Amino acid sequence: MATEHRGLVESLVPAEGFADHLTSPNPDRSFHAPLHFFETVMSYGRNTDPRATLLMLNGYLNANQQAVGIPFFERLLSTHGANMTDDVRAVYIAALAILRATHAERVPLHRRIPWVLKSFRILEEARHLTAGEDPVVRWAAGQIYAQVPFFFGKKKQAYEDLNWLAERPETEPVFGFYREVYRQLARLHENDGRKDLANDFWRRSGFDSYQPNAMLMGWFTATVDAGATMAPEPVLDEIIPGRVFALYGFGYSDIYFVVSDDGRELLAVDAGTQPHSLQAAHDYLLSHHPDLPPVSKVFITHSHWDHIGGHSYIRKVFPEAVFYGRDNYQAVVDRVDRHHSYSLFRGQDFDHRWVAAYAPDVPVGDRLELTAGGTTIELVPVTGGETEDALLVHFPGLATIFVGDIVMPWYGEPWVNEGFMDGAVDSIDAVLTRQPKHILHGHHPLTALYGPEQLAAFREHYVWLVDAVRKHINHGYSAKDIIRLNLVPPGLQDQPEAYLSFLAARDNVIARTADHMVGIWQEDRTGQDPQGLDALVSADFGRLLEHYLGLSADQAARAIRKMIRDGDNELALKFAIAAEQRFGRSVALTALKREAADRLRSAIQFFDPFRFVTYTEMIGQEHKPMPDPSTAN
């Protein structure tokens, strides 16, 4: 393990043999916090999770940093490949092939064809290692072969790989991952003149009205009518067959139902985002299990809009149902009742009266044990990481606990002054002491990231991070300063199950902890870049472009295009917006604004629904669900 002093604490750094290549000062390399994190932990060769490998790959692609990623993956394979299983090594090799293939346009022309052919050989090595049965490897092959020039003769193989995946949707590693499969099939059929098939695959991808300028294969959606969801298609997941049901894709939060021991009562956990989305979820459940009993009790894990917005549906259809929730819910409801400038989170028809009308029938202020249909339920009030009105809903007989958003990585809605950094630790402890088999969060990405094993490891590193942030803030560092330190707790390299759990939260924990400790101004460690002193907005940056730098609209567009090429996507989006305001909209500026936002969306598509939806709204393009092929028309 290699460590060094970063700021005021000892932090993990890349393993020996990687450090010189990655940490040498390079002021021209754009900064991407997740990439620096991955380069640190992945250099130790412990990771076996294809999700982490693909996220690192995606980071390099969106930053246009293939020139850094290629030697990193080559060194990783040469250093650790012999200790990897074939399936793990194959995913790394496939990622290397994608990096090489997408870098080919920057290779000198006289070397380009040999470069591409070697990339094909690398890819086929990954296929051989997995006997052609690994969906991630075939996904990589389909992406590469569908997009190389025709004279390489790979179209037939592209169809074969992509169709193999399309015909096996059950192999999708995470919800939404096959969006890019359907996109490439649509392109191939379109180029081959098969318009009907192309249109069908465009619909299945969700890209029928807008084709993003980056790979989008995550679980988020955002539409004007439905608002945001964390699943691109309706999903019914039986956590415990016949007893515990999870429904995803019906509003922003997940919805759970539990059948009582005697089979005579249906117990709901949380009430969804809107009445119609909760009704859709309940109807979907009944379409698969028509003999389920009526809802008798509803347990609210906390009073955010996406967990109580649909409560009136149950009140109307099951008037005898009893709602249990925290006694201190009102302050959370009051914070929720605000009219944001962004509408894609909640949907254009969201009615704040749905939230304002919520009140529990049984306010819970102390631990409460009750029985429903022979099932014992323990209600444990805690201060969660997100809100002060968190309620753990524990079914000891099922070894299952519902935790709401106690470790939501943003520690409160980003637009609101929320978050309880110490409360998160206490609530994690309350969960872990009950030793559940199933920890079910309010959003299924969190369930995937913070299961029993991950949560225990995450707790240790979370405490380290919060302490480190407080120390830095007390010594004049800003949140941005701390994020750029790339703080990684020593020892994390040996717990790969916690890599994604820690990364998903890290920068948000830094920002939220700092927000609780500073005033309307925020100092920085240099004293030259304090935040809050000025009131500069996009119009000022637009004036900079034309009035002070003397740029025309076309020259500004060229500069923004170079920013994107060099991976400065945040800078590109900021100046594209400024240029649009200064020069007016144009085809070139709109396209650049969309590409910058698409790359930013792609970079955080598995981690940050708030940024994802915000960028989606900034460019005025919906990110549609993926319709079931049997219902697409």
Side-chain angles (χ1 to χ4, degrees), residues 65 151 196 198 241 247 467 549 573-574:
Q65 290 187 6
F151 54 78
D196 289 344
L247 291 121
D467 288 346
L549 298 180
L573 180 60
K574 182 177 287 292

Side-chain angles (χ1 to χ4, degrees), residues 101-276:
T102 54
H103 187 61
E105 65 177 18
R106 297 193 182 192
V107 174
L109 192 59
H110 68 281
R111 293 176 46 219
R112 192 170 298 170
I113 289 180
W115 175 276
V116 173
L117 293 176
K118 183 177 179 180
S119 302
F120 292 164
R121 291 194 297 272
I122 291 171
L123 182 59
E124 291 307 316
E125 179 186 352
R127 189 195 301 274
H128 175 74
L129 286 171
T130 56
E133 295 296 317
D134 188 289
V136 173
V137 173
R138 296 200 75 147
W139 178 88
Q143 298 302 310
I144 293 174
Y145 292 153
Q147 297 181 72
V148 295
F150 73 93
F151 54 78
F152 283 107
K154 292 295 184 179
K155 182 194 291 187
K156 181 179 178 182
Q157 185 64 57
Y159 270 122
E160 182 179 322
D161 286 318
L162 295 168
N163 282 323
W164 188 92
L165 296 166
E167 292 163 5
R168 295 167 176 81
E170 72 281 358
T171 64
E172 192 175 39
V174 295
F175 304 129
F177 192 70
Y178 285 177
R179 279 188 188 275
E180 293 295 337
V181 170
Y182 304 140
R183 189 216 290 247
Q184 297 306 331
L185 281 169
R187 290 180 64 253
L188 288 171
H189 285 299
E190 195 168 71
N191 292 337
D192 287 342
R194 291 184 284 270
K195 184 177 180 180
D196 289 344
L197 277 172
N199 289 339
D200 178 58
F201 281 112
W202 282 127
R203 282 191 293 267
R204 289 177 66 179
S205 71
F207 299 150
D208 51 323
S209 59
Y210 177 69
Q211 297 170 29
N213 296 283
M215 285 202 298
L216 291 174
M217 60 276 191
W219 34 49
F220 305 141
T221 72
T223 63
V224 171
D225 291 334
T229 75
M230 293 202 194
E233 56 201 271
V235 177
L236 170 60
D237 187 5
E238 296 197 33
I239 308 298
I240 299 177
R243 293 297 305 277
V244 179
F245 303 98
L247 291 121
Y248 317 135
F250 298 91
Y252 196 57
S253 67
D254 297 345
I255 299 166
Y256 295 101
F257 293 95
V258 180
V259 177
S260 63
D261 287 4
D262 65 7
R264 299 176 65 181
E265 296 189 44
L266 191 61
L267 314 171
V269 179
D270 284 336
T273 304
Q274 309 105 341
H276 57 78

Side-chain angles (χ1 to χ4, degrees), residues 69-104:
I70 290 167
F72 180 90
F73 273 83
E74 288 175 340
R75 183 166 297 185
L76 187 68
L77 285 162
S78 65
T79 304
H80 302 295
N83 298 321
M84 297 176 182
T85 62
D86 286 350
D87 58 332
V88 170
R89 188 161 75 255
V91 172
Y92 281 111
I93 292 171
L96 173 60
I98 289 180
L99 287 171
R100 288 180 56 90
T102 54
H103 187 61

